[in-house]
């Protein structure tokens, strides 16, 4: 496990948006960020799930979150601009952006892959985070130290049979993080890093490995240390790095020359 223990007030006064906050790893991260003092914007497509997370955070007495329903399949430029305007009016800045929402698509050879599913996966996993980051950039720039975290996978650095658009989308995510990290490094207070969660007990994992015993995998709560570290001030100055949530080893710098 990534070795980090967060102080209880790590995220006091920070405003953090989590995509896919209603379930799985995003849900755990949202609750954890609120526990550490952040005002969390819970963004996702299933309102009931977001409400359940909201209620859990409130019942625990953590900082009050906000719910922002948005379906990344359908959201357009104007929807992201509206999100930015609302956050600007409410908070004036954004200190953290966790791009966590993704869809798995089909597990099938490329020769059988449906182009409609391909486009959907690439849109939700790659194009939507690009559009959202672009719209929120002025708010991230308004933060004294903003952290953008993108979520990859082990199939995003090594091509693996039958992972189709999901695997390709994670390669693209790695590339987007590298580009954004270089573009922001010397010109802003924004840091950009990647997390590979590793096998984690969620609906997506069960969908990808239907025959697997879920109890073999760590829970989303277990893998939170790296999610905490990257959103708090202890990671200031850390940018362009890839973290494996379930490994102790030090982060690898992303390649800087191509
Ligand atoms: P999950 O349990 O399936 O949760 C995915 C979240 O994304 C859900 O809250 C889902 O909302 C949301 N989402 C999906 N499509 C959306 C859309 N169109 N608009 C808005 N929100 C949408 O998956 P997870 O396992 O927690 O995965 C989280 C991240 O970790 C993903 O980026 C995944 O690729 C990555 N990852 C996971 C594993 C693993 O073993 N679990 C391993 C490597 C990488 P609904 O619940 O409303 O559909």
């Amino acid at each position: 496990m990534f070795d980090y223990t967060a102080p209880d007030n790590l995220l006091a006064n920070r405003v953090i948006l989590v995509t896919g906050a209603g379930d799985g790893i995003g849900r755990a991260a949202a609750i954890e960020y609120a526990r550490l003092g952040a005002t969390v914007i819970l963004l996702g497509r299933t309102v009931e799930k977001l409400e359940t997370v909201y209620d859990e955070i409130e019942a625990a007495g953590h900082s009050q979150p906000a719910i922002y329903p948005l379906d990344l399949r359908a959201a357009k430029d104007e929807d992201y601009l509206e999100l930015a305007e609302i956050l600007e009016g409410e908070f004036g800045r954004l200190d953290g952006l966790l791009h966590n929402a993704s869809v798995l698509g089909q597990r099938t050879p490329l020769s059988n892959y449906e182009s409609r599913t391909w486009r959907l996966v690439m849109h939700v996993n790659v194009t939507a985070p690009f559009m959202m980051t672009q719209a929120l950039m002025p708010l991230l720039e308004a933060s004294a130290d903003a952290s953008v975290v993108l979520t990859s996978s082990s199939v995003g650095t090594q091509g693996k049979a039958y992972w189709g658009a999901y695997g390709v989308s994670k390669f693209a995510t790695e590339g987007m993080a590298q580009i954004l990290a270089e573009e922001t490094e010397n010109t802003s207070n924004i840091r950009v890093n990647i997390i590979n969660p590793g096998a984690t007990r969620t609906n997506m994992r069960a969908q990808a490995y239907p025959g697997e015993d879920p109890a073999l995998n760590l829970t989303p709560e277990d893998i939170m240390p790296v999610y905490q570290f990257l959103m708090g001030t202890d990671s200031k100055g850390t940018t362009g790095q890839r973290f494996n949530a379930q490994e102790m080893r030090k982060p690898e710098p992303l390649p800087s020359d191509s």
Side-chain angles (χ1 to χ4, degrees), residues 19-28 43-50 68-75 80 99-104 120 123-125 128 132 150-155 163 166 169-170 173 195-209 212 217-218 220 223 227 246:
T19 72
D23 213 335
I25 296 167
R27 171 187 168 279
L43 188 145
R45 67 175 162 181
T46 310
V47 177
E48 303 79 59
K49 288 187 180 185
L50 299 175
Y68 202 93
L70 192 70
D71 186 340
L72 302 179
R73 288 173 300 191
Y80 293 109
H99 287 297
N100 161 83
S102 278
V103 287
L104 181 65
L120 173 80
H123 188 83
V124 171
N125 296 6
M132 187 183 296
L150 292 99
T151 309
S152 187
S153 163
S154 49
V155 298
W163 282 88
Y166 179 85
S169 77
K170 294 302 184 180
T173 299
I195 296 177
N196 169 17
T200 309
R201 199 183 309 164
T202 66
N203 291 338
M204 184 185 285
R205 178 75 192 182
Q207 196 190 337
Y209 294 91
E212 181 182 75
N217 294 319
L218 294 179
I223 63 165
Y227 286 82
Q246 301 191 21

Side-chain angles (χ1 to χ4, degrees), residues 122-210:
M122 295 303 288
H123 188 83
V124 171
N125 296 6
V126 183
T127 308
F130 153 70
M131 291 165 84
M132 187 183 296
T133 307
Q134 187 182 62
L136 296 180
M137 198 57 90
L139 286 170
L140 292 163
E141 283 167 349
S143 166
D145 76 289
S147 174
V148 177
V149 177
L150 292 99
T151 309
S152 187
S153 163
S154 49
V155 298
T157 49
Q158 173 64 52
K160 286 267 172 31
Y162 316 133
W163 282 88
Y166 179 85
V168 173
S169 77
K170 294 302 184 180
F171 271 86
T173 299
E174 298 265 348
M176 182 155 55
Q178 291 176 21
I179 290 169
L180 191 60
E182 278 213 5
E183 288 176 356
T184 50
E185 187 165 12
N186 299 314
T187 55
S188 74
N189 292 321
I190 302 172
R191 55 188 182 278
V192 183
N193 294 286
I194 299 178
I195 296 177
N196 169 17
T200 309
R201 199 183 309 164
T202 66
N203 291 338
M204 184 185 285
R205 178 75 192 182
Q207 196 190 337
Y209 294 91

Side-chain angles (χ1 to χ4, degrees), residues 11-12 14 16-18 26 28-40 62-63 98 149 195 224 226-232:
L11 303 177
R14 282 175 80 73
I16 299 176
L17 189 153
V18 177
I31 293 171
E32 194 53 25
Y33 292 159
R35 182 183 75 78
L36 297 173
T39 300
V40 183
H62 304 327
S63 299
L98 173 61
V149 177
I195 296 177
M224 284 300 115
V226 73
Y227 286 82
Q228 299 167 341
F229 170 71
L230 286 176
M231 279 302 166

